[in-house]
Amino acid sequence: MIPITPVGSSAGVALRYLDPGALNLTALPPLSLYVHFPWCVRKCPYCDFNSHEVRGSFPEQEYLQALRLDLEQSLPLIWGRKVYSVFIGGGTPSLLSADGLDQLMSDIRTLLPLDLNAEVTMEANPGTFEAEKFKRFRASGINRLSIGIQSFNTDHLKALGRIHDGDEARRAIEIAQANFDNFNLDLMYALPQQTLGECRRDLETAMSFAPPHLSLYHLTMEPNTVFAKYPPQLPDEDASADMQDLIASETAAAGYQHYEVSAYARPGHQARHNLNYWQFGDYLGIGAGAHSKLSFPHRIVRQTRAKQPASFMQAAQAGRAVHEEAEIARDELPFEFMLNALRLQEGFDPNLFGERTGLAITAIEKTLDAAEAKGLLYRDHKLIRPTVLGQRFLNDLQQMFL
């Protein structure tokens, strides 16, 4: 560290120290809020999220109180910063009662300076849809739903361990259409024994409802899941690639922009909350197992909460909701940034790298050159983006920045 004597200092005045490894963020990025609801009706065999099956009931009031305490304890870290999006995920947050959701939204508005045009998303399971309850969700301030359809094929839904069938999926979308202008449908493909024709029918059924946003995920075998332990028979790589090609052509023909690896949107309906993640923005995560990434002028910090709901609630009551906290090391920032930003199909402005990491673009110059030489990356003075080849081998491209 280099000692710096303050202007006008005299003997006895403590010296400041300039850390040559410190960052220099000229402005803090946009801030989002993530709220985790950890319970679901049944744990799906492919799911590696922090979710726990409801055993009869769940402690709604105790959990809502813990969420408020967690948020209150976090306020000094984000003081004065406006929140531009809220995402309530899980688990299955649509298990919350209408009164419970209203209480949560009231606490958020009371404690945070929420932007007037903030996007407020809630995840919902078709097996939990009740028309009257979702009307009240909308009245409480939810203005975007993300519905976990996964498939309209009842056999595939059974294989995935979902609690709804195809008819319930359609009914859920009709309720969403009646109450929300903005909603997303989650679909999965390359499902156990799924054919290209079945994938097409799922996609056509979803698009028949004209959703503003589609999320289309390739089923993957995540560690520590039932599917990882007992793998089902999945379509081979060629069949999976055919499904990806089908999705690309059909969504484009229907007017959807493929703007991120798994995200497709009609004009003006990109998911603002998720875009903030991919552009390496900041987010405060509250609730069991939630993660935060928070920037300060000279450092960027990550936090996690305890995964078990009971442990989280006890910790929040004791005034220590944050379970772990660590500063992101300077040499880890390039990979952290590129891991997210390279998911954007249209790429990003090179200036964004400096704005969000506090580092000069020269920190990754050699790797950019190497990726460009391999045909994985296109760049000029206004744009860095993965090529078609880079999109196909995205994991390899991202790992070059490790």
Side-chain angles (χ1 to χ4, degrees), residues 138-297:
R138 180 68 185 90
S140 294
I142 303 297
N143 55 32
R144 183 177 182 270
L145 279 188
S146 184
I147 310 171
I149 300 294
Q150 314 314 352
S151 177
F152 294 93
N153 182 308
T154 296
D155 289 338
H156 290 150
L157 289 168
K158 287 180 180 177
L160 291 173
R162 304 296 289 175
I163 64 170
H164 65 278
D165 60 24
D167 290 338
E168 287 173 311
R170 293 174 178 85
R171 175 62 178 151
I173 300 172
E174 291 169 357
I175 292 173
Q177 287 177 315
N179 294 284
F180 295 87
D181 298 326
N182 195 7
F183 62 94
N184 165 64
L185 301 183
D186 271 0
L187 286 180
M188 300 177 78
Y189 65 95
L191 304 178
Q193 301 185 31
Q194 185 180 38
T195 66
L196 183 63
E198 289 169 336
C199 176
R200 183 189 299 275
R201 284 191 287 278
D202 268 353
L203 184 59
E204 288 175 346
T205 302
M207 292 195 299
S208 72
F209 291 98
H213 193 282
L214 283 165
S215 296
L216 298 163
Y217 299 107
H218 189 295
L219 176 62
T220 55
M221 301 295 101
E222 300 291 349
N224 303 314
T225 64
V226 173
F227 272 4
K229 189 174 183 180
Y230 306 104
Q233 183 180 343
L234 301 178
D236 61 27
E237 288 187 8
D238 289 340
S240 174
D242 288 343
M243 292 179 192
Q244 288 178 296
D245 291 342
L246 169 73
I247 289 168
S249 61
E250 293 293 313
T251 52
Y256 290 88
Q257 178 197 3
H258 185 195
Y259 70 98
E260 187 270 344
V261 172
S262 304
Y264 304 75
R266 293 191 180 279
H269 287 91
Q270 293 181 338
R272 281 183 271 157
H273 186 88
N274 290 343
L275 267 178
N276 193 41
Y277 289 151
W278 298 321
Q279 293 171 343
F280 210 50
D282 276 2
Y283 49 93
L284 171 66
I286 61 172
H291 292 242
S292 300
K293 177 241 165 188
L294 298 172
S295 298
F296 303 90

Side-chain angles (χ1 to χ4, degrees), residues 23-24 330 334 350-351 353-355 357-365 368:
L23 305 178
N24 184 26
R330 184 187 181 94
N351 291 325
F353 178 82
E355 291 172 11
T357 67
L359 305 174
I361 195 72
T362 52
I364 55 171
E365 194 76 31
L368 291 172

Side-chain angles (χ1 to χ4, degrees), residues 11 37 41 48 67 74 76 81 85 94 126 137 151 159 161 200-201 213 222 252 273 289 292 303 345 351 364 394:
F37 179 87
V41 176
D48 70 338
L67 286 175
S74 302
R81 296 180 66 180
S85 67
S94 50
F137 285 169
S151 177
R200 183 189 299 275
R201 284 191 287 278
H213 193 282
E222 300 291 349
H273 186 88
S292 300
Q303 298 176 331
Q345 304 291 289
N351 291 325
I364 55 171
L394 183 60

Side-chain angles (χ1 to χ4, degrees), residues 366-385:
K366 289 182 179 179
T367 312
L368 291 172
D369 288 341
E372 191 173 15
K374 290 183 176 183
L376 300 174
L377 200 70
Y378 168 85
R379 64 176 176 138
D380 57 34
H381 66 288
K382 289 186 177 180
L383 180 68
I384 297 174
R385 65 168 172 80

Side-chain angles (χ1 to χ4, degrees), residues 11-226:
V13 176
L15 296 180
R16 291 189 298 115
Y17 286 88
L18 178 63
D19 182 353
L23 305 178
N24 184 26
L25 296 177
T26 55
L28 300 183
L31 177 66
S32 297
L33 174 69
Y34 175 77
V35 182
H36 192 73
F37 179 87
W39 289 283
C40 56
V41 176
R42 184 168 64 209
K43 182 81 170 179
C44 297
Y46 59 85
C47 178
D48 70 338
F49 294 128
N50 182 38
S51 58
H52 307 265
E53 289 189 11
V54 170
R55 305 293 184 183
S57 63
F58 61 91
E60 179 173 275
Q61 274 305 309
E62 292 90 336
Y63 193 71
L64 290 171
Q65 182 184 23
L67 286 175
R68 180 175 178 121
L69 289 170
D70 189 357
L71 185 53
E72 288 175 342
Q73 292 162 31
S74 302
L75 290 181
L77 300 175
I78 58 168
W79 207 255
R81 296 180 66 180
K82 187 172 286 189
V83 172
Y84 292 93
S85 67
V86 178
F87 195 101
I88 306 170
T92 306
S94 50
L95 287 173
L96 278 165
S97 68
D99 286 342
L101 188 278
D102 192 60
Q103 179 181 332
L104 173 61
M105 290 302 302
S106 177
D107 287 344
I108 290 171
R109 283 191 294 264
T110 299
L111 295 171
L112 295 175
L114 202 58
D115 185 71
L116 289 176
N117 297 312
E119 175 191 88
V120 184
T121 303
M122 176 188 229
E123 287 186 333
N125 186 317
T128 64
F129 266 68
E130 300 168 25
E132 196 57 41
K133 185 163 82 165
F134 276 79
K135 285 181 185 178
R136 291 192 58 190
F137 285 169
R138 180 68 185 90
S140 294
I142 303 297
N143 55 32
R144 183 177 182 270
L145 279 188
S146 184
I147 310 171
I149 300 294
Q150 314 314 352
S151 177
F152 294 93
N153 182 308
T154 296
D155 289 338
H156 290 150
L157 289 168
K158 287 180 180 177
L160 291 173
R162 304 296 289 175
I163 64 170
H164 65 278
D165 60 24
D167 290 338
E168 287 173 311
R170 293 174 178 85
R171 175 62 178 151
I173 300 172
E174 291 169 357
I175 292 173
Q177 287 177 315
N179 294 284
F180 295 87
D181 298 326
N182 195 7
F183 62 94
N184 165 64
L185 301 183
D186 271 0
L187 286 180
M188 300 177 78
Y189 65 95
L191 304 178
Q193 301 185 31
Q194 185 180 38
T195 66
L196 183 63
E198 289 169 336
C199 176
R200 183 189 299 275
R201 284 191 287 278
D202 268 353
L203 184 59
E204 288 175 346
T205 302
M207 292 195 299
S208 72
F209 291 98
H213 193 282
L214 283 165
S215 296
L216 298 163
Y217 299 107
H218 189 295
L219 176 62
T220 55
M221 301 295 101
E222 300 291 349
N224 303 314
T225 64
V226 173

